[in-house]
Amino acid sequence: MTDEAAPMTVPQGIPAVEAVTHPPEPPTSEVLIITGMSGAGRSRAAMVLEDLDWYVVDNLPPKMLVPLVDMMTRAGSSITRVGAVVDVRGREFFNDLNDVLTRFSKRGIHYRILFLDASDEVLVRRFEQVRRPHPLQADGRILDGIETERHLLGAMRSRSDVLIDTSDLNVHDLAREVRKSVAEASHEALRINVVSFGFKYGIPLDADHVVDMRFLANPYWITELRHLTGRDAPVRDFVLGLPGATEFIDRYVAALEPVLSGYLNEEKRYVTIAIGCTGGKHRSVAVSEAIAQRLRDLGHPVAVTARDLGKE
């Protein structure tokens, strides 16, 4: 048998596809250390991170960060971003934080430090308002605890990646600053839930907006449509083809745009729009699907729920 050259399987001028397909790169793990002065807003910052789908732990001894991050970086873990509130409440354990961060650096683990601060005057006022002692004041004054804490946190403040002074910030301002510091643009969207319902079963308790579709003719009174729902094409086409239906949807979604933008500015990240008809089977279901699609076209993540479908 004579050796023959391998047949040409790729046209000339077109590069051959690599024989080995490389696996996709694993998502980059990220660790955020939230620390700073007591009363400066650490708990609020932690809640903002939770809203951004971070895995957040509070008052964690620094040495526990190592096994926590090991669990996060393990193959198959769905957790890629961890926020850990570490502060002087850990008492002598807090002193381990520098050593832990050094270990992270040696292992190539990406981390950032978010440090929250405020003036002594503001911190004193906040502790007096909540009528709680400073964790380090012992038998002394609030100012004594603040002074001790500033001394303990001096080095960590100097090496922080993000420093936020909350002296003149309200809770909404602080949330915006934290989001600007750590959030990705993809997580800034408002989450919308559109739920259809029947008025005879009651208005959803968590509704931010309630829309009444009973001004449209009811498909229930059409024998061929009665057994179907608003998710079926014949009912959907009938409802959306009624006079005023499409015009209402267009105008309602247009009216919602400045409202949804305002919610984002005011740090309201979840909204429920309830679309109702008599039984929650025909009109409300068809219109809720149509409104949800319009909102998706505008770039909003939308979930649709038919609360009362199947109750009849």
Side-chain angles (χ1 to χ4, degrees), residues 51-69:
D51 290 343
L52 294 172
D53 292 329
W54 285 61
Y55 182 83
V56 180
V57 289
D58 192 9
N59 198 16
L60 186 73
K63 283 189 175 180
M64 298 300 296
L65 278 170
V66 177
L68 177 63
V69 172

Side-chain angles (χ1 to χ4, degrees), residues 192-211:
I192 303 173
N193 183 37
V194 179
V195 54
S196 61
F197 73 97
F199 277 97
K200 68 179 182 180
Y201 301 112
I203 297 174
L205 294 176
D206 59 346
D208 297 292
H209 296 257
V210 177
V211 178

Side-chain angles (χ1 to χ4, degrees), residues 33-45:
I33 309 297
I34 307 163
T35 189
M37 296 297 293
S38 300
R42 297 181 310 241
S43 297
R44 178 61 181 171

Side-chain angles (χ1 to χ4, degrees), residues 173-312:
D173 294 332
L174 173 57
R176 275 187 281 269
E177 289 298 318
V178 173
R179 287 178 183 275
K180 284 195 300 183
S181 300
V182 304
E184 298 176 0
S186 60
H187 291 86
E188 287 296 315
L190 183 70
R191 300 181 186 180
I192 303 173
N193 183 37
V194 179
V195 54
S196 61
F197 73 97
F199 277 97
K200 68 179 182 180
Y201 301 112
I203 297 174
L205 294 176
D206 59 346
D208 297 292
H209 296 257
V210 177
V211 178
D212 186 354
M213 301 311 303
R214 291 176 294 184
F215 70 91
L216 297 176
N218 194 347
Y220 177 85
W221 301 113
I222 299 177
T223 303
E224 293 82 5
L225 301 180
R226 181 176 301 177
H227 68 287
L228 301 175
T229 75
R231 290 176 175 171
D232 295 310
V235 173
R236 181 181 64 246
D237 295 343
F238 174 83
V239 171
L240 299 184
L242 289 170
T246 301
E247 180 184 5
F248 169 80
I249 294 170
D250 291 340
R251 292 190 177 188
Y252 182 67
V253 171
L256 276 177
E257 289 188 60
V259 176
L260 302 180
S261 177
Y263 282 157
L264 283 173
N265 291 334
E266 291 302 314
E267 293 300 315
K268 179 177 174 63
R269 299 286 156 174
Y270 306 91
V271 61
T272 297
I273 300 171
I275 314 293
C277 63
T278 303
K281 181 179 180 180
H282 297 109
R283 293 166 291 181
S284 63
V285 174
V287 172
S288 67
E289 295 283 354
I291 289 176
Q293 187 56 54
R294 300 290 180 88
L295 292 172
R296 291 191 188 102
D297 293 341
L298 293 174
H300 297 288
V302 183
V304 183
T305 307
R307 190 195 69 175
D308 298 326
L309 205 59
K311 288 187 176 179
E312 289 189 349

Side-chain angles (χ1 to χ4, degrees), residues 63-249:
K63 283 189 175 180
M64 298 300 296
L65 278 170
V66 177
L68 177 63
V69 172
D70 286 341
M71 292 172 58
M72 179 180 71
T73 56
R74 187 179 303 161
S77 173
S78 61
I79 298 175
T80 59
R81 301 184 300 173
V82 168
V85 181
V86 182
D87 51 67
V88 297
R89 289 174 297 170
R91 302 187 183 276
E92 65 268 19
F93 297 126
F94 181 77
N95 297 325
D96 298 325
L97 183 55
N98 275 315
D99 292 338
V100 169
L101 296 182
T102 300
R103 291 177 62 181
F104 283 170
S105 297
K106 290 181 178 179
R107 293 174 53 183
I109 296 173
H110 175 67
Y111 71 86
R112 290 191 295 164
I113 300 173
L114 170 63
F115 193 100
L116 300 174
D117 202 351
S119 68
D120 289 358
E121 179 184 358
V122 169
L123 293 176
V124 169
R125 184 170 66 248
R126 290 175 181 173
F127 275 106
E128 289 179 341
Q129 287 175 343
V130 297
R131 299 182 180 180
R132 296 193 64 190
H134 188 283
L136 297 182
Q137 80 177 73
D139 295 329
R141 302 178 303 160
I142 293 176
L143 275 172
D144 295 329
I146 292 174
E147 182 179 355
T148 301
E149 187 174 30
R150 286 203 185 281
H151 175 72
L152 292 173
L153 293 176
M156 198 56 57
R157 189 182 193 277
S158 299
R159 66 183 298 181
S160 62
D161 299 284
V162 180
L163 174 62
I164 300 177
D165 188 330
T166 68
S167 300
D168 299 319
L169 304 181
N170 59 37
V171 292
H172 302 301
D173 294 332
L174 173 57
R176 275 187 281 269
E177 289 298 318
V178 173
R179 287 178 183 275
K180 284 195 300 183
S181 300
V182 304
E184 298 176 0
S186 60
H187 291 86
E188 287 296 315
L190 183 70
R191 300 181 186 180
I192 303 173
N193 183 37
V194 179
V195 54
S196 61
F197 73 97
F199 277 97
K200 68 179 182 180
Y201 301 112
I203 297 174
L205 294 176
D206 59 346
D208 297 292
H209 296 257
V210 177
V211 178
D212 186 354
M213 301 311 303
R214 291 176 294 184
F215 70 91
L216 297 176
N218 194 347
Y220 177 85
W221 301 113
I222 299 177
T223 303
E224 293 82 5
L225 301 180
R226 181 176 301 177
H227 68 287
L228 301 175
T229 75
R231 290 176 175 171
D232 295 310
V235 173
R236 181 181 64 246
D237 295 343
F238 174 83
V239 171
L240 299 184
L242 289 170
T246 301
E247 180 184 5
F248 169 80
I249 294 170

